């Protein structure tokens, strides 16, 4: 009874692997380490370095480790990048998942959890946005994920697979014990960039658009702590193992914070008044995105533990300060050598 986690050395994937390991699960990871780090994995978790779309690799891993469920994180996630390179996003997100699903079908794996996004909704007609809302993505990133959801639905119907699609809102924070967090260089997550500015690693933070029809003119986001998100995946896995039918679920808290509110929270928490630069709106950005979470709470009996922006920011800051210290220690060692 092994769980294959693709992208398991990445930000969200590594928190998932940690949660599974702490629950005593047998885990195997496939990650190309393009944005992940092998040192984020617990000791003893097998890592196969390669592409989740490499069917030969995946089939070998499934057979060798007797995989019974797949949790699929691997993919590209930056909206502005997807506007510049749509084909890259359709390759990394949609085509990779097509190959992964083909390997799963051939090997008889019939449980699949997919990392999707609230970007499939575009600018919703109602807020909070429920899962049955129309899907009108504004970016190739959102479209690539929506195409994958449709493909997964059709594959499951044809081959007796049960799946959970988890549509993430804004994932943030770090392991509450400070063991792992977001380590990707050049990450575009709002809280990550604010933490880099607060720790002096970034000269300023850009705010794209201050003329939206929101209370302070900036976009509004529903943040979810990465550890709560990992727990949602564990709950989804239990749900599928217990025979639950395929389901699509929003992953957020059901409350929104503006970009400017979030920056002020980081300034207040860190005690550092870092620079903010205002810039025009970006193509593909969504004005307001807040989750209706009634379905996930009812279906999985999911109860978040860290539903508080200050808590999320505090865990992120603790991690960022640790990362900053470690990088400077590495530099000092290199210079002294």
């Amino acid at each position: 009874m092994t769980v294959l986690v693709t992208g398991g050395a990445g930000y969200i994937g590594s928190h998932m692997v940690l949660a599974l390991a702490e629950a005593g699960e047998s885990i195997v990871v496939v990650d190309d380490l393009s944005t992940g780090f092998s040192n984020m994995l617990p000791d003893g978790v097998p890592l196969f370095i390669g592409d989740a779309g490499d069917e030969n690799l995946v089939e070998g891993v499934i057979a060798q480790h007797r995989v019974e469920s797949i949790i699929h994180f691997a993919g590209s996630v930056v909206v502005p990048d997807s506007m510049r390179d749509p084909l890259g996003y359709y390759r990394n997100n949609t085509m990779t998942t097509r190959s992964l699903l083909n390997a799963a079908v051939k090997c008889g794996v019939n449980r699949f959890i997919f990392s999707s996004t609230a970007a499939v909704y575009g600018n919703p007609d109602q807020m909070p946005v429920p899962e049955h809302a129309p899907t009108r993505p504004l970016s190739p990133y959102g479209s690539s994920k929506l195409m994958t959801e449709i493909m997964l639905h059709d594959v499951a119907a044809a081959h007796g697979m049960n799946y959970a699609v988890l549509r993430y809102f804004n994932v943030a924070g770090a392991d509450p014990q400070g063991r792992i967090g977001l380590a990707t260089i050049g990450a575009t997550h709002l809280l990550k960039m604010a933490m880099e500015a607060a720790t002096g690693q970034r000269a300023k933070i850009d705010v794209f658009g201050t003329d939206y029809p929101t209370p302070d003119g900036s976009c509004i986001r529903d943040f979810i702590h990465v550890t709560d998100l990992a727990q949602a995946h564990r709950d989804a896995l239990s749900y599928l193992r217990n025979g639950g039918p395929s389901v699509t679920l929003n992953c957020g808290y059901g409350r929104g914070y503006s970009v400017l509110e979030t920056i002020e929270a980081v300034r207040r928490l860190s005690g550092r008044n870092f620079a903010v630069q205002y810039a025009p709106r970006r193509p593909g950005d969504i004005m307001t995105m807040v989750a209706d979470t009634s379905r996930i709470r009812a279906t999985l009996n999911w109860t978040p533990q860290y539903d508080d922006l200050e808590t999320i920011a505090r865990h992120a800051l603790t991690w960022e300060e640790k990362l900053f210290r470690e990088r400077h220690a590495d530099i000092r060692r290199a210079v002294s050598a």
Side-chain angles (χ1 to χ4, degrees):
M1 294 275 288
T2 299
V3 181
L4 166 59
V5 181
T6 71
Y11 171 44
I12 304 173
S14 62
H15 286 80
M16 181 76 256
V17 171
L18 182 61
L20 290 170
E22 290 182 335
E25 296 275 1
S26 175
I27 315 147
V28 61
V29 171
V30 171
D31 197 306
D32 65 6
L33 300 185
S34 58
T35 58
F37 301 87
S38 59
N39 63 356
M40 294 292 173
L41 296 174
D43 292 340
V45 172
L47 167 64
F48 290 83
I49 301 174
D51 189 340
D54 181 339
E55 292 186 39
N56 289 330
L57 169 65
V58 172
E59 287 173 29
V61 170
I62 290 172
Q64 179 182 344
H65 290 271
R66 300 174 61 197
V67 169
E68 50 87 14
S69 300
I70 295 174
I71 305 179
H72 179 36
F73 294 100
S76 301
V77 300
V78 182
V79 169
D81 285 354
S82 79
M83 305 296 282
R84 291 186 290 267
D85 181 23
L87 290 176
Y89 272 66
Y90 293 126
R91 179 189 65 239
N92 293 344
N93 292 347
T94 312
M95 293 173 64
T96 290
T97 311
R98 183 263 169 210
S99 298
L100 179 63
L101 282 169
N102 197 43
V105 168
K106 286 193 284 185
C107 295
V109 178
N110 60 7
R111 283 186 288 271
F112 197 98
I113 298 176
F114 175 56
S115 165
S116 191
T117 172
V120 300
Y121 295 118
N123 277 316
D125 295 328
Q126 65 182 99
M127 202 64 59
V129 57
E131 289 87 351
H132 62 262
T135 47
R136 298 177 299 227
L138 299 180
S139 66
Y141 165 58
S143 295
S144 70
K145 291 287 193 174
L146 180 58
M147 288 179 182
T148 305
E149 288 189 18
I150 295 167
M151 180 170 55
L152 177 56
H153 174 273
D154 293 343
V155 169
H159 298 286
M161 179 183 289
N162 277 6
Y163 67 83
V165 167
L166 301 188
R167 291 175 175 167
Y168 306 168
F169 282 62
N170 280 63
V171 188
D175 170 53
Q177 297 180 43
R179 293 168 292 182
I180 56 175
L182 180 54
T184 306
I185 301 295
T188 59
H189 300 64
L190 172 60
L191 265 175
K192 173 70 170 180
M193 293 190 295
M195 295 305 166
E196 289 178 343
T199 52
Q201 301 173 78
R202 181 184 290 268
K204 61 179 176 62
I205 184 168
D206 292 313
V207 174
F208 295 97
T210 56
D211 60 347
Y212 288 97
T214 60
D216 64 16
S218 65
C219 294
I220 293 174
R221 295 291 180 263
D222 185 345
F223 292 96
I224 177 172
H225 195 293
V226 64
T227 298
D228 279 339
L229 183 61
Q231 183 59 49
H233 286 74
R234 279 191 55 201
D235 292 343
L237 181 60
S238 297
Y239 166 84
L240 293 177
R241 283 174 171 169
N242 289 329
S246 297
V247 67
T248 297
L249 301 168
N250 286 338
C251 294
Y253 291 148
R255 68 178 71 187
Y257 298 94
S258 76
V259 171
L260 295 179
E261 279 181 305
T262 305
I263 290 171
E264 285 307 311
V266 175
R267 280 174 161 172
R268 188 169 59 250
L269 182 69
S270 66
R272 293 153 192 159
N273 190 26
F274 51 85
V276 176
Q277 180 170 306
Y278 303 111
R281 300 183 187 187
R282 292 181 301 190
D285 277 349
I286 296 165
M287 179 179 71
T288 300
M289 186 59 71
V290 178
D292 179 338
T293 63
S294 54
R295 182 185 290 181
I296 189 172
R297 292 173 188 267
T299 304
L300 303 185
N301 196 27
W302 174 70
T303 304
Q305 301 299 306
Y306 304 105
D307 180 2
D308 175 72
L309 180 60
E310 186 166 320
T311 299
I312 295 171
R314 186 172 66 254
H315 291 163
L317 182 60
T318 299
W319 166 254
E320 197 61 42
E321 289 174 337
K322 176 184 177 182
L323 206 59
F324 185 62
R325 289 193 301 271
E326 289 175 350
R327 285 174 178 161
H328 274 258
D330 289 341
I331 292 169
R332 286 194 297 271
R333 281 193 293 269
V335 169
S336 63

